Amino acid sequence: MTDLSDEGFDDWPAAPGRIGGAWDLPLTASERQAMEALAQTLRITANPLGRTQLAMLLLGQVPADLLKTAVIHLRQLLRRDFVGMLPMEVATRILEFLPIRDIVRSASLVSRQWRAVATQACLWRRLYLRRGWRVDADRWAFYSSLPRGICPARVMLDSSVLHVSNAISLANTPKDMSALLEHPPETPRQTLDSVLGGMGKVYMPQRVLRQRQFMSSSSSEASSRSSSPLSSPRLRGPTLAIDWRMLYAEYTQLEANWRSGRCRVDRWEAAHSESIYCLQFDRHSRLFSGSRDATVKVWHLADAASHITQLATLRGHTGSVLTLQADEATLVTGSSDATVRVWDLLTYTQTHCLHHADAVLSLRFNEKWLVTACKDRLVRVWRRNTNYSDMFELRGHAVAVNAVHLHGDTLVSASGDRSIKVWDLERRSCELTLVDHVRGVACLDFDGRFIVSGSSDRSIRIWSLESRRCERTIHNAHSDLVRTIMFDRAMDIVVSGSYDESIKIWRFSTGALLHKIKNVHTSRVFKLMFDRSRIVSCSHDRSISIIDFAANIPHARMLV
């Protein structure tokens, strides 16, 4: 009889739970009929316990070597892809509890279904926000509008947009600051970035764009100035398509750069004609600097940190500009000419001039208060909602008040008399005096809970308002006066600048030195400020320097 079987096709009707592979053995017709009868018996047995007993009787007749194979195949049947069976929202919630390395290296390689879950935007958004990280949505909206293939870090300034020129070239400075680190950096942990394997545009905040439109339009549009500083028409539309997985990888790389000291320095020589005493930059890439040449300059700081363009020069002071602060629409400056001047950043014009009896060394303001500190030992406080007509004085320091910092209604002041005072502005009273420095206090920073101070005794001290005492002291932090300081508890970072020409980065929680960055300036460091990606500083050498920890991260300026 001719064998008509097809060796490439098996039409044997498989019973429920049939296992192929090693069980596809050559059987006679009678043997097949017997197996079919057993399978039918299993199917018609309603009692699950009876099925189990019958199956166990059959397995008891199987030779030991084949029984091992049966166990292997039974394990395959018992496996359940619970992630693939669950709704996507539930599956992503489960994966949230895995370490990031396991999500990237393990979960995404299990199957296509697991990979689809492991790459969901909602998963990475929750992981990103859980770390306390944020995104500058306005800036992301701008870069999202760029043509595909354009790297955000390469987008340069277009003078036709800003209506300015006067670009300042970079000095020949080292690009890899790691060679300048005197303190050996920590060995960076492997980051997610390693695991995941000439445009004529410039980012400008929506408010600034509206202001420039206002300047060229009729005065009837002046009401636009009352709009929210952070509002953006773009953000009122559909939700932005943010690549949260990519941003998580870049933020991880950024943190690794801070730990390892991987950074680049850009320096602009002769940004002013004299020493630069103060500066501030903001999320809108505006940089403000005040100098001994009696001017305040407003710059545009390109995201690539390789180009700055002067937007305006403000003149009015007759002495050195020693201190300044800016918000969305207002700039306040203090000078050795004993005046405090308030400027409108919409028109770059002066709106108010306030007076002291001596040089104004420091100032801070918020929506409610303007506080100025003077060489005459006084702190003066103006209510901003009274058009600066309501003013009172705080007395208590024995010598010049070198620095002030404001948080809500709480003011902190530091003086050459070695003390730090905490004031309640509503009560107009000193609530606490902190004394531990052995020489005058030159600078401080305050976030509402902690104060970090630097002194001419070369130390840095970290104070807690809750315990009302000094929590940590870094003795001999610099070899000369600690002139400027700033900290961020979320980043666990303190950055200090000194007359010894160096900038140092410290661990806030322990006081440990992370990096000492040298050769950024060739003279005394007067002021510094930092954000998530860079440190900006100015000096007696008339230069402005940027220590950029995000030179290798395309979207770093969107990470806040």
Side-chain angles (χ1 to χ4, degrees), residues 425-494:
L425 295 185
E426 285 293 351
R427 298 181 180 180
R428 304 187 183 187
S429 63
C430 179
E431 303 294 315
L432 178 64
T433 299
L434 303 171
V435 179
D436 199 24
H437 284 288
V438 297
R439 296 189 63 182
V441 184
C443 57
L444 61 81
D445 193 13
F446 175 52
D447 71 349
R449 291 185 57 194
F450 290 90
I451 302 168
V452 178
S453 59
S455 167
S456 57
D457 64 12
R458 300 177 296 177
S459 72
I460 294 173
R461 283 173 165 78
I462 300 176
W463 314 77
S464 170
L465 288 191
E466 295 178 358
S467 65
R468 303 170 72 91
R469 64 185 181 87
C470 181
E471 297 288 335
R472 283 178 294 282
T473 300
I474 305 174
H475 295 286
N476 297 315
H478 287 269
S479 59
D480 207 333
L481 180 147
V482 183
R483 180 65 168 79
T484 176
I485 202 159
M486 183 176 176
F487 75 99
D488 187 322
R489 282 191 292 129
M491 296 177 63
D492 198 24
I493 290 293
V494 177

Side-chain angles (χ1 to χ4, degrees), residues 505-559:
I505 304 173
W506 311 83
R507 183 77 69 192
F508 174 84
S509 57
T510 64
L513 176 64
L514 297 180
H515 313 293
K516 177 179 179 179
I517 306 177
K518 301 173 62 179
N519 302 327
V520 177
H521 291 287
T522 59
S523 189
R524 295 175 172 180
V525 180
F526 285 140
K527 186 66 176 178
L528 63 78
M529 179 180 178
F530 71 90
D531 63 7
R532 290 281 183 174
S533 61
R534 54 190 170 186
I535 304 170
V536 182
S537 60
C538 62
S539 167
H540 181 67
D541 62 12
R542 304 180 298 162
S543 72
I544 296 175
S545 294
I546 295 182
I547 304 167
D548 191 358
F549 291 88
N552 62 336
I553 301 175
H555 304 90
R557 309 307 176 212
M558 305 176 206
L559 310 178

